[in-house]
């Protein structure tokens, strides 16, 4: 059974005359790390909100088509029911943190799910350790840096042990190093705990190296869906859809055009260094 | 244009955010002020238009001590666009928002209209003058906040993380507008941690760490010390990192863009090594 199954999904927000999502069909398997990429207005946030019923139940609107999460029809479940299996993390950490201490914040979800006391304490420690905030229990969220707040929000989501984690532009408030750490954390959750992760992003640079699949959203529809290596062989695809491709992919595409016969498909710095030394710089004579 | 001597700033609660800053910004420069979170870059920039006043040391704007000038006077010379445009927007239409500064400073209505027209045209807001900023997307709201700053015709424009939340096309459009403002002669101070943006636009880079300036050079110089940038929680553009890795094969380390690296890698290799 797929973690997420959307069939011909359309969504129109209350008060809007246009469809934020206009015919989206996608399957996400359990344990997959999927990046939903698109410019502002493509429908990424709407996609995220549909995954646990926040759209249409909290954010009013009209849904068409079917959405199933772990086999459950989302339209027939309440948000609290869905939140047991789907954790959500939004762009602005401030809007999600409201307790007096990090510990309360992270305990809030499991408490609401009726998890026994002793187990809550264990989950809080586990979640804080996963996100690198061990020892931050007593800190008031307001005193944390942007990156720490975002990690606290993730801890608060994973303490509920969701099978799926949906994050809407989670790196928004983070500096470049913070972004790399965040994505590394998420990859760790997928690999060590089998969590299904869906992330919405405007840029591919940080998420491409860690995701299994990239879904390009454009004006409410899926323009392309495939593994990052495959999509990034044609960075113009992303550019055309309003998403900036990773710089190295652009470089590979440009070099493929300039250096005849060189099959360059590098993705990471290590691969780039190797392929360029072997296939570009070692060529005799002119280039 | 802007001079800072032995500037020290301590926040209430005792945090020493600026530790002894000396800096001169010349007219017409396009300077990037970079550093990780907590490095002091925003704290420093807020001294340029009086939003913060020094705990120690001095700030001079166009040769005059900033201490002798009110925030209102300073804002006519140094405009500051906040990272979060919603912190500066409060009017019911875009037109009112842009006109607020000039009207508040006592400009005649004719002059105000002229300033609004210029700012709206430069920031491509002519079609939405009657709309409420609150109803607009982030990119547009950011342009409104920048327009409201430009309306006062400042000689220096400080932009605090102006591309946060913007997608590729919006970023390109906004940075194009900013380049235009710099070409007009305005001094631009770009506060950012996006090194790719810095490599594409700034001609001078000032790097801060822990309340101090640790590097002040042209863009190429700034990108040559990868270790320093890493210590400052900054990531050089991937092509720069790659150039460094390939430098033992004769590739120049001073690469700032994909264009430059493609050129480096495909030029005839006779002079390599």
């Amino acid at each position: 059974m797929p973690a997420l199954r959307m069939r011909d999904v359309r969504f129109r927000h209350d008060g809007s005359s246009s469809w934020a999502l206009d015919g989206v069909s996608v399957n996400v398997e359990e344990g997959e790390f999927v990046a939903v990429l698109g410019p502002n207005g493509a429908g990424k946030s709407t996609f995220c909100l549909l995954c646990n019923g926040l759209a249409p139940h909290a954010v009013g609107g009209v849904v068409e088509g079917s959405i199933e999460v772990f086999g459950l029809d989302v339209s027939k479940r309440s948000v609290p029911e869905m939140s047991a299996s789907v954790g959500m993390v939004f762009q602005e950490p401030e809007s999600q943190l409201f307790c007096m201490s990090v510990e309360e914040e992270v305990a809030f979800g499991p408490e609401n799910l009726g998890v026994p006391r002793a187990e809550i304490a264990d989950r809080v420690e586990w979640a804080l350790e996963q996100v690198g905030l061990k020892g931050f229990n007593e800190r008031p969220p307001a005193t944390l840096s942007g990156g720490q707040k975002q990690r606290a929000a993730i801890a608060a989501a994973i303490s509920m042990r969701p099978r799926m984690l949906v994050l809407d532009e989670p790196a928004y408030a983070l500096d470049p190093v913070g972004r790399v750490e965040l994505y590394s954390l998420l990859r760790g959750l997928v690999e060590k705990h089998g969590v299904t992760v869906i992330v919405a992003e405007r840029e591919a640079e940080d998420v491409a190296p860690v995701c299994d699949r990239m879904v390009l959203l454009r004006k409410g529809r899926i323009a392309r869906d495939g593994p990052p290596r495959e999509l990034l062989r044609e960075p113009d695809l992303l550019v055309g859809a309003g998403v900036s491709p990773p710089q190295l992919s652009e470089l590979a595409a440009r070099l493929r055009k300039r250096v005849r016969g060189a099959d360059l498909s590098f993705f990471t710095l290590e691969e780039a260094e190797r392929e360029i030394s072997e296939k570009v710089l070692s060529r005799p004579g002119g280039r | 244009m802007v001079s800072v001597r032995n500037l020290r700033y301590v926040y209430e609660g005792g945090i020493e955010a600026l530790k002894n800053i000396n800096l001169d910004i010349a007219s017409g420069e396009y300077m990037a002020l970079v550093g990780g979170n907590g490095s002091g870059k925003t704290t420093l920039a807020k001294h340029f238009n009086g939003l913060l006043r020094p705990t120690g040391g001095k700030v001079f704007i166009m040769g005059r001590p900033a201490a002798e000038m009110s925030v209102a006077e300073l804002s006519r010379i140094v405009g500051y666009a906040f990272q979060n445009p919603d912190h500066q927007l409060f009017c019911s239409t875009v037109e009112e928002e842009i006109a607020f500064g000039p009207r508040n400073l006592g400009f005649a209505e004719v002059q105000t209209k002229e300033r609004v027209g210029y700012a709206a045209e430069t920031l491509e807001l002519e079609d939405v003058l009657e709309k409420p900023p609150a109803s607009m997307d982030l990119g547009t709201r950011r342009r409104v906040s920048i327009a409201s700053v430009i309306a006062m015709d400042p000689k220096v424009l400080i932009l605090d993380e102006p591309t946060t939340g913007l997608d590729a096309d919006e970023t390109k459009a906004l940075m194009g507008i900013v380049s235009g403002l710099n070409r007009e002669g305005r001094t631009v101070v770009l506060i950012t941690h996006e090194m790719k943006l810095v490599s594409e636009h700034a001609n001078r880079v000032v790097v801060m760490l822990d309340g101090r300036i640790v590097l002040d050079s042209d863009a190429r110089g700034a990108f040559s010390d990868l270790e320093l940038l890493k210590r400052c929680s900054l990531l050089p553009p991937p092509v720069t990192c790659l150039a460094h890795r390939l430098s033992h094969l004769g590739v120049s380390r001073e690469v700032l863009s994909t264009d430059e690296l493609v050129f480096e890698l495909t030029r005839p290799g006779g002079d390599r090594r």
Side-chain angles (χ1 to χ4, degrees), chain A residues 31 33 184-195 197 210 212:
Chain A
F33 190 148
S184 184
L185 192 178
L186 292 176
R187 186 74 214 170
L189 289 175
V190 170
E191 288 181 358
K192 286 184 283 183
H193 302 287
V195 180
V197 170
V210 299
D212 300 313

Side-chain angles (χ1 to χ4, degrees), chain A residues 19-254:
Chain A
W19 294 93
L21 282 190
D22 193 10
V24 166
S25 296
V26 70
N27 279 10
V28 174
E29 298 305 321
E30 190 148 16
E32 265 198 293
F33 190 148
V34 175
V36 176
L37 297 167
N40 290 336
K44 307 186 292 297
S45 292
T46 305
F47 185 101
C48 292
L49 293 169
L50 285 166
C51 288
N52 79 338
L54 281 172
H57 302 304
V59 168
V62 174
V63 192
E64 286 181 10
S66 81
I67 305 166
E68 283 175 11
V69 172
F70 299 112
L72 298 176
D73 182 343
V74 179
S75 63
K76 297 198 166 65
R77 306 278 157 172
S78 67
V79 173
E81 275 183 280
M82 293 307 305
S83 63
S85 40
V86 183
M88 292 275 309
V89 178
F90 302 93
Q91 273 184 20
E92 299 276 7
E94 270 90 20
S95 59
Q96 306 162 93
L97 302 176
F98 48 83
C99 296
M100 300 298 285
S101 72
V102 166
E103 176 159 328
E104 276 174 47
E105 205 69 67
V106 179
F108 187 81
E111 273 172 5
N112 274 280
L113 290 176
V115 173
R117 271 247 149 262
E119 200 190 317
I120 293 182
D122 283 341
R123 289 202 191 186
V124 167
E125 284 315 305
W126 172 82
L128 289 180
E129 175 137 20
Q130 291 304 303
V131 304
L133 286 181
K134 193 169 170 169
F136 277 70
N137 306 48
E138 302 306 315
R139 290 277 297 268
T143 65
L144 301 177
S145 71
Q148 289 167 338
K149 279 181 186 153
Q150 198 56 292
R151 286 190 275 150
I154 293 174
I158 64 178
S159 64
M160 287 191 278
R161 300 275 198 183
R163 288 166 76 185
M164 185 157 93
L165 195 57
V166 177
L167 305 104
D168 188 359
E169 297 200 43
Y172 180 88
L174 305 181
D175 64 23
V177 170
R179 295 201 289 261
V180 169
E181 287 172 354
L182 171 76
Y183 279 108
S184 184
L185 192 178
L186 292 176
R187 186 74 214 170
L189 289 175
V190 170
E191 288 181 358
K192 286 184 283 183
H193 302 287
V195 180
T196 308
V197 170
I198 297 178
V199 177
E201 272 293 359
R202 268 172 290 115
E203 291 183 352
E205 189 81 62
D206 302 306
V207 72
V210 299
C211 67
D212 300 313
R213 216 163 112 207
M214 286 177 16
V215 172
L216 277 190
L217 259 193
R218 192 186 182 163
K219 294 195 186 137
R221 296 189 183 169
I222 294 182
R224 276 295 282 268
D225 177 353
R229 271 184 203 277
E230 189 186 292
L231 260 70
L232 294 176
R233 273 196 75 93
E234 301 165 70
D236 281 344
L237 256 183
L238 272 75
V239 174
V243 176
S244 38
Q247 213 182 29
L248 291 183
S249 303
E250 277 184 309
L251 178 68
R254 302 257 310 263

Side-chain angles (χ1 to χ4, degrees), chain B:
Chain B
M1 182 64 55
V2 175
S3 272
V4 164
R5 290 279 166 274
N6 306 115
L7 179 61
R8 199 172 152 253
Y9 187 78
V10 182
Y11 275 102
E12 252 185 62
I15 297 182
E16 198 181 10
L18 295 177
K19 288 176 184 161
N20 185 16
I21 304 289
N22 288 287
L23 181 69
D24 289 295
I25 306 177
S27 174
E29 278 201 83
Y30 193 143
M31 185 187 111
L33 183 53
V34 306
N37 289 339
S39 57
K41 54 192 196 292
T42 298
T43 307
L44 174 58
K46 286 184 173 172
H47 280 84
F48 299 164
N49 79 333
L51 288 173
L52 289 176
R53 301 286 185 176
T55 306
K58 293 196 190 312
V59 178
F60 297 89
I61 303 294
M62 290 183 72
R64 281 180 63 196
E68 288 170 14
M69 299 161 74
S70 65
V71 175
E73 275 185 274
L74 285 167
S75 64
R76 290 192 64 170
I77 308 173
V78 182
Y80 194 116
F82 289 89
Q83 179 172 358
N84 184 345
D86 300 327
H87 290 170
Q88 333 189 213
L89 302 179
F90 49 82
C91 297
S92 17
T93 68
V94 169
E95 192 273 340
E96 274 173 45
E97 203 69 69
I98 302 176
F100 185 83
R103 276 189 192 133
N104 218 34
L105 289 174
F107 282 32
E109 202 52 30
V110 165
Q111 236 191 323
T112 298
K113 268 195 145 52
E114 212 187 281
R115 301 302 319 156
V116 171
Y118 161 76
E121 197 190 317
T122 307
L123 277 301
E124 299 171 15
L125 295 164
E126 297 123 303
D127 294 335
V128 296
L129 284 170
E130 296 311 310
K131 296 221 163 92
S135 71
M136 298 170 155
D137 63 53
L138 176 66
T140 312
R141 296 201 311 278
R142 208 169 257 129
R143 281 186 286 130
V144 174
S145 79
I146 295 174
S148 67
V149 165
I150 291 294
M152 290 185 281
D153 198 17
K155 299 213 185 328
V156 182
L157 177 61
I158 304 174
L159 299 159
D160 197 344
E161 303 283 2
T163 61
T164 307
L166 300 188
D167 61 40
D169 292 339
E170 290 167 341
T171 298
K172 194 159 166 215
L174 182 65
M175 295 310 288
I177 292 173
V178 173
S179 292
L181 290 167
N182 180 239
R183 276 193 302 273
E184 266 177 24
R186 287 180 218 276
T187 308
V188 171
V189 176
L190 176 67
I191 304 174
T192 186
H193 49 227
E194 303 297 338
M195 296 313 275
K196 208 161 98 160
L197 219 55
V198 171
S199 67
E200 286 166 6
H201 297 279
N203 43 45
R204 179 176 168 203
V205 181
V206 169
V207 183
M208 291 188 68
L209 176 65
D210 259 336
R212 289 185 207 279
I213 291 178
V214 293
L215 184 72
D216 180 352
S217 87
D218 62 7
R220 287 193 194 282
F223 285 91
S224 62
D225 193 341
L226 294 196
E227 269 317 302
L228 177 68
L229 292 179
K230 274 205 194 118
R231 268 188 288 134
C232 297
S233 301
L234 297 170
L235 291 182
V239 293
T240 307
C241 295
L242 184 55
H244 277 248
R245 283 179 180 237
L246 295 169
S247 59
H248 66 284
L249 294 173
V251 172
S252 163
R253 289 170 195 245
E254 292 185 356
V255 158
L256 297 183
S257 68
T258 311
D259 276 344
E260 288 180 9
L261 187 54
V262 170
F263 176 77
E264 254 308 281
L265 295 175
T266 56
R267 64 184 169 84
D271 48 341
R272 229 188 276 291
R273 284 210 198 257

